[in-house]
Amino acid sequence: MSSSYIQKVCKTAGLRSYKVNAAPNRNGKQYLLAKQRARKLYDSLIQKFGCIVMDDESYVKANKRGNVADKYKNKKFDKFPKKFLIWQAICQCVFKSDPFVSTGTINQEIYVKECLQKRLLPLIRLHKDPVLFWPNLAICHYGKMALGW
Ligand SMILES: [Zn+2]
C-alpha cells in the first residue's frame, strides 16, 4: 500500500497520527543541571555581547522548487541527484550573511576564505557593539586555521 492510500483510509476513519519528538535522554537530575548550566552560560557570557551570530551548513538536493538555476532544475534521470552545500550565518537582530553555495564539501580553508572572511565578516561589521559568534560543532569550524581566524 502506498502511504497516501493509508493516509486516505486514516482520514476517512477519523484517525490522526503524531510523530514522536526527539529529546535528549536525560534523567531528572541531568535535566536540572542542563537548565542551570544554560542559565549560568547566559548570565556570564551571552549578556556581554550586543548580538549573537550563528552559522550552519546543510546539504540539499536540487529540485524544481526554490531559487535554483534552470540548469539544475531539469536533471530528470539522475539516479543520484546533485547535492549542494549551503552555508549561511544569521544573527539575533536578523541580519543574514550572503549564502555560500557549493557542490563540494567544506573544509577549514574553504570555511575561512568563503564563509568567515567573505560572508561572516561583513555581517559582523554591520553591528556597532561586539557580537558573539557561536559556530556549531562541525569539524571544519575547529581546525587550526579556523580557530586562528
Ligand atoms: Zn545582529
Short mmCIF file of all heavy atoms in Angstrom, two decimals, residues 30-98:
data_model
loop_
_atom_site.label_atom_id
_atom_site.label_comp_id
_atom_site.label_asym_id
_atom_site.label_seq_id
_atom_site.Cartn_x
_atom_site.Cartn_y
_atom_site.Cartn_z
N GLN A 30 19.93 15.30 35.53
CA GLN A 30 20.63 15.82 34.35
C GLN A 30 19.85 16.98 33.73
O GLN A 30 20.43 17.95 33.26
CB GLN A 30 20.82 14.70 33.33
CG GLN A 30 21.82 13.66 33.75
CD GLN A 30 21.80 12.45 32.81
OE1 GLN A 30 20.73 12.03 32.36
NE2 GLN A 30 22.97 11.91 32.54
N TYR A 31 18.55 16.86 33.71
CA TYR A 31 17.70 17.91 33.15
C TYR A 31 17.87 19.21 33.94
O TYR A 31 18.05 20.27 33.37
CB TYR A 31 16.24 17.46 33.16
CG TYR A 31 15.28 18.52 32.69
CD1 TYR A 31 15.14 18.80 31.33
CD2 TYR A 31 14.56 19.28 33.60
CE1 TYR A 31 14.29 19.79 30.90
CE2 TYR A 31 13.70 20.27 33.18
CZ TYR A 31 13.57 20.53 31.83
OH TYR A 31 12.73 21.52 31.40
N LEU A 32 17.86 19.08 35.29
CA LEU A 32 18.04 20.25 36.14
C LEU A 32 19.41 20.89 35.94
O LEU A 32 19.54 22.11 35.82
CB LEU A 32 17.90 19.84 37.61
CG LEU A 32 16.59 20.21 38.29
CD1 LEU A 32 16.57 19.69 39.71
CD2 LEU A 32 16.34 21.70 38.24
N LEU A 33 20.46 20.03 35.87
CA LEU A 33 21.82 20.53 35.66
C LEU A 33 21.94 21.27 34.34
O LEU A 33 22.54 22.35 34.27
CB LEU A 33 22.81 19.37 35.67
CG LEU A 33 23.55 19.12 36.97
CD1 LEU A 33 24.47 17.90 36.83
CD2 LEU A 33 24.35 20.33 37.39
N ALA A 34 21.36 20.69 33.28
CA ALA A 34 21.42 21.32 31.96
C ALA A 34 20.76 22.69 31.99
O ALA A 34 21.27 23.66 31.43
CB ALA A 34 20.76 20.43 30.92
N LYS A 35 19.65 22.78 32.69
CA LYS A 35 18.91 24.04 32.79
C LYS A 35 19.73 25.08 33.57
O LYS A 35 19.84 26.23 33.16
CB LYS A 35 17.57 23.77 33.49
CG LYS A 35 16.53 24.80 33.24
CD LYS A 35 15.20 24.34 33.81
CE LYS A 35 14.19 25.48 33.74
NZ LYS A 35 12.91 25.12 34.30
N GLN A 36 20.33 24.64 34.68
CA GLN A 36 21.15 25.55 35.49
C GLN A 36 22.37 26.04 34.71
O GLN A 36 22.73 27.21 34.76
CB GLN A 36 21.62 24.85 36.78
CG GLN A 36 20.52 24.65 37.80
CD GLN A 36 20.95 23.73 38.94
OE1 GLN A 36 22.01 23.11 38.91
NE2 GLN A 36 20.10 23.63 39.95
N ARG A 37 23.01 25.11 33.99
CA ARG A 37 24.21 25.48 33.23
C ARG A 37 23.88 26.43 32.08
O ARG A 37 24.64 27.32 31.77
CB ARG A 37 24.90 24.22 32.71
CG ARG A 37 25.60 23.48 33.81
CD ARG A 37 26.22 22.20 33.30
NE ARG A 37 26.93 21.54 34.38
CZ ARG A 37 27.27 20.27 34.36
NH1 ARG A 37 26.97 19.52 33.32
NH2 ARG A 37 27.91 19.73 35.36
N ALA A 38 22.74 26.20 31.46
CA ALA A 38 22.32 27.10 30.38
C ALA A 38 22.10 28.51 30.93
O ALA A 38 22.49 29.50 30.31
CB ALA A 38 21.05 26.58 29.71
N ARG A 39 21.50 28.60 32.09
CA ARG A 39 21.26 29.90 32.73
C ARG A 39 22.60 30.57 33.08
O ARG A 39 22.81 31.74 32.83
CB ARG A 39 20.39 29.71 33.98
CG ARG A 39 20.31 30.90 34.92
CD ARG A 39 19.88 32.20 34.31
NE ARG A 39 18.53 32.14 33.78
CZ ARG A 39 18.00 33.10 33.02
NH1 ARG A 39 18.69 34.16 32.69
NH2 ARG A 39 16.78 32.99 32.58
N LYS A 40 23.53 29.77 33.64
CA LYS A 40 24.85 30.28 34.02
C LYS A 40 25.58 30.80 32.78
O LYS A 40 26.18 31.87 32.81
CB LYS A 40 25.64 29.15 34.68
CG LYS A 40 26.74 29.60 35.60
CD LYS A 40 27.27 28.38 36.33
CE LYS A 40 28.43 28.72 37.21
NZ LYS A 40 28.97 27.53 37.87
N LEU A 41 25.54 30.03 31.70
CA LEU A 41 26.18 30.42 30.44
C LEU A 41 25.58 31.72 29.94
O LEU A 41 26.29 32.65 29.55
CB LEU A 41 26.00 29.31 29.40
CG LEU A 41 26.59 29.57 28.02
CD1 LEU A 41 28.11 29.59 28.10
CD2 LEU A 41 26.13 28.51 27.05
N TYR A 42 24.28 31.80 29.97
CA TYR A 42 23.60 33.00 29.50
C TYR A 42 23.99 34.21 30.34
O TYR A 42 24.34 35.26 29.83
CB TYR A 42 22.08 32.79 29.55
CG TYR A 42 21.30 33.98 29.05
CD1 TYR A 42 21.18 34.21 27.68
CD2 TYR A 42 20.72 34.87 29.92
CE1 TYR A 42 20.48 35.30 27.21
CE2 TYR A 42 20.02 35.97 29.46
CZ TYR A 42 19.91 36.18 28.10
OH TYR A 42 19.23 37.26 27.63
N ASP A 43 23.96 34.05 31.67
CA ASP A 43 24.27 35.17 32.57
C ASP A 43 25.72 35.61 32.47
O ASP A 43 26.02 36.79 32.53
CB ASP A 43 23.96 34.79 34.02
CG ASP A 43 22.46 34.68 34.27
OD1 ASP A 43 21.68 35.20 33.44
OD2 ASP A 43 22.08 34.06 35.27
N SER A 44 26.65 34.65 32.35
CA SER A 44 28.06 35.01 32.41
C SER A 44 28.67 35.37 31.07
O SER A 44 29.68 36.04 31.01
CB SER A 44 28.85 33.86 33.04
OG SER A 44 28.84 32.75 32.17
N LEU A 45 28.10 34.93 29.99
CA LEU A 45 28.75 35.12 28.71
C LEU A 45 27.90 35.89 27.70
O LEU A 45 28.30 36.94 27.21
CB LEU A 45 29.13 33.75 28.12
CG LEU A 45 29.87 33.76 26.80
CD1 LEU A 45 31.25 34.39 26.96
CD2 LEU A 45 30.00 32.36 26.25
N ILE A 46 26.76 35.38 27.44
CA ILE A 46 25.97 35.88 26.32
C ILE A 46 25.50 37.32 26.53
O ILE A 46 25.46 38.11 25.59
CB ILE A 46 24.81 34.91 26.02
CG1 ILE A 46 25.41 33.61 25.48
CG2 ILE A 46 23.82 35.49 25.03
CD1 ILE A 46 24.43 32.49 25.31
N GLN A 47 25.20 37.68 27.76
CA GLN A 47 24.70 39.03 28.00
C GLN A 47 25.75 40.11 27.79
O GLN A 47 25.42 41.29 27.74
CB GLN A 47 24.12 39.13 29.41
CG GLN A 47 22.78 38.43 29.51
CD GLN A 47 22.11 38.69 30.84
OE1 GLN A 47 22.76 38.88 31.84
NE2 GLN A 47 20.79 38.72 30.83
N LYS A 48 27.02 39.72 27.68
CA LYS A 48 28.10 40.70 27.48
C LYS A 48 28.18 41.18 26.04
O LYS A 48 28.91 42.10 25.73
CB LYS A 48 29.44 40.10 27.90
CG LYS A 48 29.54 39.85 29.38
CD LYS A 48 30.85 39.18 29.74
CE LYS A 48 30.86 38.84 31.22
NZ LYS A 48 31.89 37.87 31.54
N PHE A 49 27.48 40.52 25.14
CA PHE A 49 27.57 40.87 23.74
C PHE A 49 26.26 41.49 23.26
O PHE A 49 25.19 41.19 23.76
CB PHE A 49 27.88 39.62 22.91
CG PHE A 49 29.22 39.05 23.23
CD1 PHE A 49 29.36 38.08 24.21
CD2 PHE A 49 30.35 39.50 22.57
CE1 PHE A 49 30.60 37.56 24.53
CE2 PHE A 49 31.60 38.98 22.88
CZ PHE A 49 31.73 38.02 23.86
N GLY A 50 26.41 42.36 22.26
CA GLY A 50 25.23 43.02 21.72
C GLY A 50 24.38 42.10 20.88
O GLY A 50 23.17 42.27 20.77
N CYS A 51 25.01 41.10 20.27
CA CYS A 51 24.28 40.23 19.35
C CYS A 51 24.98 38.88 19.28
O CYS A 51 26.18 38.78 19.43
CB CYS A 51 24.24 40.87 17.97
SG CYS A 51 23.18 40.01 16.81
N ILE A 52 24.21 37.85 19.05
CA ILE A 52 24.76 36.50 18.88
C ILE A 52 24.63 36.13 17.41
O ILE A 52 23.55 36.23 16.83
CB ILE A 52 24.00 35.48 19.73
CG1 ILE A 52 24.06 35.88 21.20
CG2 ILE A 52 24.57 34.08 19.53
CD1 ILE A 52 23.11 35.09 22.07
N VAL A 53 25.73 35.70 16.81
CA VAL A 53 25.75 35.29 15.41
C VAL A 53 25.96 33.79 15.38
O VAL A 53 26.83 33.26 16.04
CB VAL A 53 26.89 35.98 14.64
CG1 VAL A 53 26.88 35.53 13.19
CG2 VAL A 53 26.78 37.48 14.74
N MET A 54 25.13 33.09 14.61
CA MET A 54 25.27 31.65 14.46
C MET A 54 25.39 31.32 12.98
O MET A 54 24.92 32.08 12.14
CB MET A 54 24.04 30.93 15.03
CG MET A 54 23.85 31.18 16.50
SD MET A 54 22.30 30.52 17.09
CE MET A 54 22.64 28.78 17.07
N ASP A 55 26.02 30.20 12.68
CA ASP A 55 26.07 29.76 11.29
C ASP A 55 25.70 28.30 11.22
O ASP A 55 25.70 27.60 12.22
CB ASP A 55 27.43 30.03 10.66
CG ASP A 55 28.52 29.09 11.16
OD1 ASP A 55 28.34 28.48 12.25
OD2 ASP A 55 29.55 28.97 10.49
N ASP A 56 25.36 27.86 10.03
CA ASP A 56 25.07 26.45 9.84
C ASP A 56 25.22 26.12 8.37
O ASP A 56 25.16 26.99 7.52
CB ASP A 56 23.65 26.11 10.30
CG ASP A 56 23.50 24.62 10.60
OD1 ASP A 56 24.51 23.89 10.58
OD2 ASP A 56 22.38 24.19 10.85
N GLU A 57 25.43 24.85 8.09
CA GLU A 57 25.54 24.40 6.72
C GLU A 57 24.71 23.14 6.57
O GLU A 57 24.54 22.40 7.51
CB GLU A 57 26.99 24.17 6.28
CG GLU A 57 27.77 23.16 7.11
CD GLU A 57 28.20 23.73 8.45
OE1 GLU A 57 28.62 24.88 8.52
OE2 GLU A 57 28.08 23.00 9.45
N SER A 58 24.18 22.97 5.38
CA SER A 58 23.34 21.81 5.16
C SER A 58 23.45 21.39 3.70
O SER A 58 23.70 22.21 2.83
CB SER A 58 21.89 22.19 5.48
OG SER A 58 21.06 21.08 5.30
N TYR A 59 23.28 20.10 3.46
CA TYR A 59 23.26 19.61 2.10
C TYR A 59 21.82 19.56 1.62
O TYR A 59 20.94 19.11 2.35
CB TYR A 59 23.86 18.21 2.00
CG TYR A 59 25.36 18.22 2.11
CD1 TYR A 59 25.99 17.94 3.31
CD2 TYR A 59 26.13 18.52 1.00
CE1 TYR A 59 27.37 17.96 3.41
CE2 TYR A 59 27.51 18.54 1.09
CZ TYR A 59 28.12 18.25 2.29
OH TYR A 59 29.48 18.27 2.38
N VAL A 60 21.57 20.05 0.43
CA VAL A 60 20.23 19.99 -0.13
C VAL A 60 20.32 19.41 -1.53
O VAL A 60 21.31 19.57 -2.22
CB VAL A 60 19.56 21.39 -0.19
CG1 VAL A 60 19.33 21.93 1.20
CG2 VAL A 60 20.40 22.36 -1.00
N LYS A 61 19.26 18.71 -1.92
CA LYS A 61 19.18 18.18 -3.28
C LYS A 61 18.57 19.23 -4.18
O LYS A 61 17.68 19.97 -3.75
CB LYS A 61 18.31 16.93 -3.31
CG LYS A 61 18.96 15.73 -2.70
CD LYS A 61 18.02 14.55 -2.79
CE LYS A 61 18.61 13.37 -2.05
NZ LYS A 61 17.63 12.32 -1.86
N ALA A 62 19.03 19.28 -5.40
CA ALA A 62 18.44 20.20 -6.35
C ALA A 62 17.05 19.70 -6.70
O ALA A 62 16.85 18.51 -6.92
CB ALA A 62 19.29 20.27 -7.61
N ASN A 63 16.08 20.58 -6.72
CA ASN A 63 14.74 20.17 -7.15
C ASN A 63 14.10 21.31 -7.92
O ASN A 63 14.72 22.32 -8.19
CB ASN A 63 13.88 19.71 -5.97
CG ASN A 63 13.61 20.83 -4.98
OD1 ASN A 63 13.62 22.01 -5.33
ND2 ASN A 63 13.39 20.46 -3.75
N LYS A 64 12.85 21.16 -8.25
CA LYS A 64 12.20 22.15 -9.10
C LYS A 64 11.69 23.35 -8.31
O LYS A 64 11.23 24.31 -8.88
CB LYS A 64 11.06 21.51 -9.87
CG LYS A 64 11.57 20.51 -10.87
CD LYS A 64 10.46 19.95 -11.70
CE LYS A 64 11.07 18.98 -12.73
NZ LYS A 64 10.11 18.49 -13.66
N ARG A 65 11.70 23.27 -7.00
CA ARG A 65 11.23 24.38 -6.19
C ARG A 65 12.42 25.23 -5.76
O ARG A 65 13.55 24.82 -5.78
CB ARG A 65 10.50 23.86 -4.97
CG ARG A 65 9.15 23.26 -5.34
CD ARG A 65 8.51 22.68 -4.15
NE ARG A 65 9.14 21.38 -3.91
CZ ARG A 65 8.96 20.68 -2.83
NH1 ARG A 65 8.20 21.11 -1.89
NH2 ARG A 65 9.55 19.52 -2.70
N GLY A 66 12.12 26.44 -5.35
CA GLY A 66 13.14 27.31 -4.81
C GLY A 66 13.89 28.06 -5.89
O GLY A 66 13.60 27.95 -7.07
N ASN A 67 14.86 28.82 -5.44
CA ASN A 67 15.59 29.69 -6.33
C ASN A 67 16.86 29.00 -6.82
O ASN A 67 17.95 29.36 -6.45
CB ASN A 67 15.92 30.99 -5.58
CG ASN A 67 16.41 32.05 -6.51
OD1 ASN A 67 16.31 31.92 -7.73
ND2 ASN A 67 16.97 33.09 -5.94
N VAL A 68 16.69 27.95 -7.64
CA VAL A 68 17.81 27.19 -8.16
C VAL A 68 17.90 27.47 -9.66
O VAL A 68 16.89 27.54 -10.35
CB VAL A 68 17.59 25.68 -7.91
CG1 VAL A 68 18.70 24.86 -8.50
CG2 VAL A 68 17.45 25.42 -6.42
N ALA A 69 19.10 27.66 -10.16
CA ALA A 69 19.30 27.97 -11.57
C ALA A 69 18.65 26.90 -12.45
O ALA A 69 18.64 25.72 -12.09
CB ALA A 69 20.78 28.07 -11.86
N ASP A 70 18.14 27.31 -13.61
CA ASP A 70 17.43 26.40 -14.51
C ASP A 70 18.26 25.16 -14.88
O ASP A 70 17.72 24.07 -15.02
CB ASP A 70 17.02 27.13 -15.80
CG ASP A 70 15.80 28.00 -15.56
OD1 ASP A 70 15.13 27.81 -14.52
OD2 ASP A 70 15.53 28.87 -16.41
N LYS A 71 19.56 25.35 -15.08
CA LYS A 71 20.37 24.21 -15.50
C LYS A 71 20.38 23.08 -14.48
O LYS A 71 20.70 21.95 -14.79
CB LYS A 71 21.79 24.65 -15.84
CG LYS A 71 22.59 25.16 -14.66
CD LYS A 71 23.99 25.55 -15.11
CE LYS A 71 24.80 26.08 -13.92
NZ LYS A 71 26.15 26.42 -14.29
N TYR A 72 20.02 23.38 -13.20
CA TYR A 72 19.95 22.33 -12.18
C TYR A 72 18.54 21.78 -11.97
O TYR A 72 18.34 20.80 -11.29
CB TYR A 72 20.49 22.85 -10.85
CG TYR A 72 21.93 23.26 -10.91
CD1 TYR A 72 22.31 24.57 -10.65
CD2 TYR A 72 22.92 22.34 -11.25
CE1 TYR A 72 23.64 24.94 -10.72
CE2 TYR A 72 24.24 22.71 -11.33
CZ TYR A 72 24.60 24.01 -11.06
OH TYR A 72 25.90 24.38 -11.13
N LYS A 73 17.54 22.44 -12.55
CA LYS A 73 16.16 22.03 -12.30
C LYS A 73 15.72 20.82 -13.11
O LYS A 73 14.80 20.12 -12.74
CB LYS A 73 15.20 23.19 -12.62
CG LYS A 73 15.26 24.31 -11.61
CD LYS A 73 14.25 25.37 -11.96
CE LYS A 73 14.32 26.52 -10.98
NZ LYS A 73 13.38 27.58 -11.36
N ASN A 74 16.32 20.57 -14.25
CA ASN A 74 15.79 19.57 -15.17
C ASN A 74 16.66 18.34 -15.34
O ASN A 74 16.71 17.75 -16.39
CB ASN A 74 15.52 20.23 -16.52
CG ASN A 74 14.47 21.30 -16.40
OD1 ASN A 74 13.46 21.10 -15.73
ND2 ASN A 74 14.71 22.45 -16.98
N LYS A 75 17.35 17.94 -14.32
CA LYS A 75 18.12 16.70 -14.40
C LYS A 75 17.21 15.57 -13.97
O LYS A 75 17.31 15.05 -12.87
CB LYS A 75 19.36 16.79 -13.52
CG LYS A 75 20.36 17.77 -14.02
CD LYS A 75 21.75 17.32 -13.66
CE LYS A 75 22.73 18.15 -14.46
NZ LYS A 75 24.01 17.52 -14.58
N LYS A 76 16.30 15.17 -14.87
CA LYS A 76 15.23 14.25 -14.51
C LYS A 76 15.68 12.82 -14.29
O LYS A 76 15.07 12.08 -13.55
CB LYS A 76 14.16 14.28 -15.58
CG LYS A 76 13.45 15.60 -15.66
CD LYS A 76 12.44 15.60 -16.78
CE LYS A 76 11.78 16.96 -16.84
NZ LYS A 76 10.95 17.10 -18.03
N PHE A 77 16.74 12.38 -14.94
CA PHE A 77 17.07 10.96 -14.91
C PHE A 77 18.30 10.63 -14.08
O PHE A 77 18.81 9.53 -14.16
CB PHE A 77 17.20 10.44 -16.34
CG PHE A 77 15.92 10.60 -17.11
CD1 PHE A 77 15.79 11.58 -18.07
CD2 PHE A 77 14.82 9.80 -16.82
CE1 PHE A 77 14.60 11.75 -18.76
CE2 PHE A 77 13.63 9.96 -17.50
CZ PHE A 77 13.51 10.93 -18.47
N ASP A 78 18.74 11.58 -13.29
CA ASP A 78 19.88 11.27 -12.42
C ASP A 78 19.45 10.29 -11.34
O ASP A 78 18.51 10.53 -10.61
CB ASP A 78 20.41 12.53 -11.74
CG ASP A 78 21.26 13.36 -12.67
OD1 ASP A 78 21.53 12.87 -13.79
OD2 ASP A 78 21.64 14.47 -12.28
N LYS A 79 20.14 9.17 -11.27
CA LYS A 79 19.85 8.23 -10.20
C LYS A 79 20.28 8.82 -8.86
O LYS A 79 19.62 8.66 -7.85
CB LYS A 79 20.58 6.91 -10.46
CG LYS A 79 20.17 5.82 -9.51
CD LYS A 79 20.74 4.50 -9.95
CE LYS A 79 20.27 3.40 -9.02
NZ LYS A 79 20.80 2.10 -9.43
N PHE A 80 21.42 9.52 -8.86
CA PHE A 80 21.92 10.17 -7.65
C PHE A 80 21.97 11.68 -7.93
O PHE A 80 22.94 12.15 -8.51
CB PHE A 80 23.30 9.64 -7.28
CG PHE A 80 23.31 8.15 -7.08
CD1 PHE A 80 23.82 7.31 -8.06
CD2 PHE A 80 22.75 7.60 -5.93
CE1 PHE A 80 23.80 5.94 -7.88
CE2 PHE A 80 22.74 6.24 -5.75
CZ PHE A 80 23.26 5.39 -6.72
N PRO A 81 20.92 12.41 -7.56
CA PRO A 81 20.89 13.83 -7.91
C PRO A 81 22.01 14.62 -7.26
O PRO A 81 22.51 14.26 -6.20
CB PRO A 81 19.52 14.28 -7.37
CG PRO A 81 19.12 13.26 -6.39
CD PRO A 81 19.79 11.99 -6.77
N LYS A 82 22.39 15.69 -7.94
CA LYS A 82 23.46 16.56 -7.45
C LYS A 82 23.03 17.20 -6.14
O LYS A 82 21.90 17.62 -5.98
CB LYS A 82 23.71 17.64 -8.51
CG LYS A 82 24.96 18.44 -8.28
CD LYS A 82 25.15 19.41 -9.43
CE LYS A 82 26.24 18.88 -10.34
NZ LYS A 82 26.59 19.82 -11.41
N LYS A 83 23.97 17.25 -5.21
CA LYS A 83 23.68 17.89 -3.93
C LYS A 83 24.45 19.18 -3.82
O LYS A 83 25.55 19.32 -4.34
CB LYS A 83 24.11 16.98 -2.78
CG LYS A 83 23.18 15.85 -2.50
CD LYS A 83 23.67 15.10 -1.28
CE LYS A 83 22.75 13.96 -0.94
NZ LYS A 83 23.27 13.17 0.20
N PHE A 84 23.86 20.12 -3.11
CA PHE A 84 24.52 21.40 -2.86
C PHE A 84 24.72 21.57 -1.38
O PHE A 84 23.86 21.20 -0.58
CB PHE A 84 23.65 22.55 -3.37
CG PHE A 84 23.46 22.53 -4.85
CD1 PHE A 84 22.38 21.87 -5.40
CD2 PHE A 84 24.37 23.15 -5.67
CE1 PHE A 84 22.20 21.83 -6.76
CE2 PHE A 84 24.20 23.11 -7.04
CZ PHE A 84 23.12 22.45 -7.59
N LEU A 85 25.85 22.16 -1.05
CA LEU A 85 26.09 22.53 0.33
C LEU A 85 25.79 24.02 0.45
O LEU A 85 26.27 24.81 -0.37
CB LEU A 85 27.54 22.26 0.72
CG LEU A 85 27.88 22.71 2.13
CD1 LEU A 85 28.48 21.57 2.90
CD2 LEU A 85 28.79 23.89 2.11
N ILE A 86 24.98 24.37 1.41
CA ILE A 86 24.67 25.79 1.61
C ILE A 86 25.07 26.17 3.03
O ILE A 86 24.68 25.51 3.99
CB ILE A 86 23.16 26.07 1.41
CG1 ILE A 86 22.76 25.67 0.00
CG2 ILE A 86 22.84 27.53 1.68
CD1 ILE A 86 21.28 25.77 -0.27
N TRP A 87 25.86 27.21 3.12
CA TRP A 87 26.26 27.76 4.43
C TRP A 87 25.71 29.17 4.53
O TRP A 87 25.70 29.91 3.55
CB TRP A 87 27.78 27.80 4.54
CG TRP A 87 28.25 28.50 5.79
CD1 TRP A 87 28.56 27.92 6.97
CD2 TRP A 87 28.43 29.91 5.98
NE1 TRP A 87 28.93 28.87 7.88
CE2 TRP A 87 28.86 30.11 7.29
CE3 TRP A 87 28.27 31.02 5.16
CZ2 TRP A 87 29.13 31.36 7.81
CZ3 TRP A 87 28.54 32.28 5.68
CH2 TRP A 87 28.96 32.44 7.00
N GLN A 88 25.27 29.54 5.71
CA GLN A 88 24.81 30.91 5.92
C GLN A 88 24.87 31.23 7.41
O GLN A 88 24.70 30.36 8.25
CB GLN A 88 23.39 31.09 5.41
CG GLN A 88 22.96 32.54 5.34
CD GLN A 88 21.72 32.72 4.50
OE1 GLN A 88 20.88 31.84 4.42
NE2 GLN A 88 21.61 33.87 3.86
N ALA A 89 25.11 32.48 7.73
CA ALA A 89 25.10 32.93 9.12
C ALA A 89 23.93 33.87 9.32
O ALA A 89 23.52 34.59 8.40
CB ALA A 89 26.41 33.65 9.46
N ILE A 90 23.39 33.84 10.52
CA ILE A 90 22.28 34.72 10.87
C ILE A 90 22.51 35.19 12.30
O ILE A 90 23.17 34.51 13.08
CB ILE A 90 20.92 33.99 10.73
CG1 ILE A 90 19.77 34.96 10.90
CG2 ILE A 90 20.81 32.84 11.71
CD1 ILE A 90 18.41 34.40 10.50
N CYS A 91 22.00 36.35 12.61
CA CYS A 91 22.21 36.85 13.96
C CYS A 91 20.88 37.17 14.62
O CYS A 91 19.83 37.16 13.99
CB CYS A 91 23.13 38.06 13.96
SG CYS A 91 22.38 39.56 13.39
N GLN A 92 20.99 37.49 15.90
CA GLN A 92 19.83 37.77 16.73
C GLN A 92 18.99 38.91 16.18
O GLN A 92 17.77 38.88 16.27
CB GLN A 92 20.34 38.18 18.11
CG GLN A 92 19.67 37.56 19.24
CD GLN A 92 20.34 37.99 20.55
OE1 GLN A 92 21.44 38.50 20.57
NE2 GLN A 92 19.64 37.76 21.63
N CYS A 93 19.64 39.93 15.62
CA CYS A 93 18.86 41.06 15.09
C CYS A 93 18.47 40.83 13.63
O CYS A 93 18.14 41.75 12.92
CB CYS A 93 19.55 42.38 15.32
SG CYS A 93 21.29 42.44 15.01
N VAL A 94 18.56 39.58 13.20
CA VAL A 94 18.04 39.08 11.93
C VAL A 94 18.79 39.60 10.69
O VAL A 94 18.25 39.65 9.60
CB VAL A 94 16.51 39.29 11.79
CG1 VAL A 94 15.92 38.33 10.78
CG2 VAL A 94 15.79 39.09 13.10
N PHE A 95 20.06 39.99 10.86
CA PHE A 95 20.89 40.20 9.68
C PHE A 95 21.28 38.81 9.19
O PHE A 95 21.45 37.90 9.99
CB PHE A 95 22.17 40.97 10.01
CG PHE A 95 21.95 42.42 10.33
CD1 PHE A 95 22.43 42.96 11.51
CD2 PHE A 95 21.29 43.25 9.44
CE1 PHE A 95 22.25 44.29 11.81
CE2 PHE A 95 21.09 44.59 9.73
CZ PHE A 95 21.58 45.12 10.92
N LYS A 96 21.42 38.67 7.88
CA LYS A 96 21.85 37.40 7.31
C LYS A 96 23.07 37.64 6.46
O LYS A 96 23.17 38.67 5.79
CB LYS A 96 20.77 36.79 6.41
CG LYS A 96 19.53 36.34 7.14
CD LYS A 96 18.53 35.73 6.18
CE LYS A 96 17.97 36.82 5.30
NZ LYS A 96 16.87 36.38 4.44
N SER A 97 23.98 36.68 6.45
CA SER A 97 25.11 36.77 5.54
C SER A 97 24.64 36.34 4.16
O SER A 97 23.59 35.72 4.02
CB SER A 97 26.24 35.86 6.00
OG SER A 97 25.87 34.51 5.81
N ASP A 98 25.44 36.65 3.15
CA ASP A 98 25.18 36.06 1.84
C ASP A 98 25.40 34.56 1.98
O ASP A 98 26.30 34.13 2.70
CB ASP A 98 26.14 36.61 0.79
CG ASP A 98 25.84 38.07 0.47
OD1 ASP A 98 24.69 38.49 0.63
OD2 ASP A 98 26.78 38.78 0.05
#
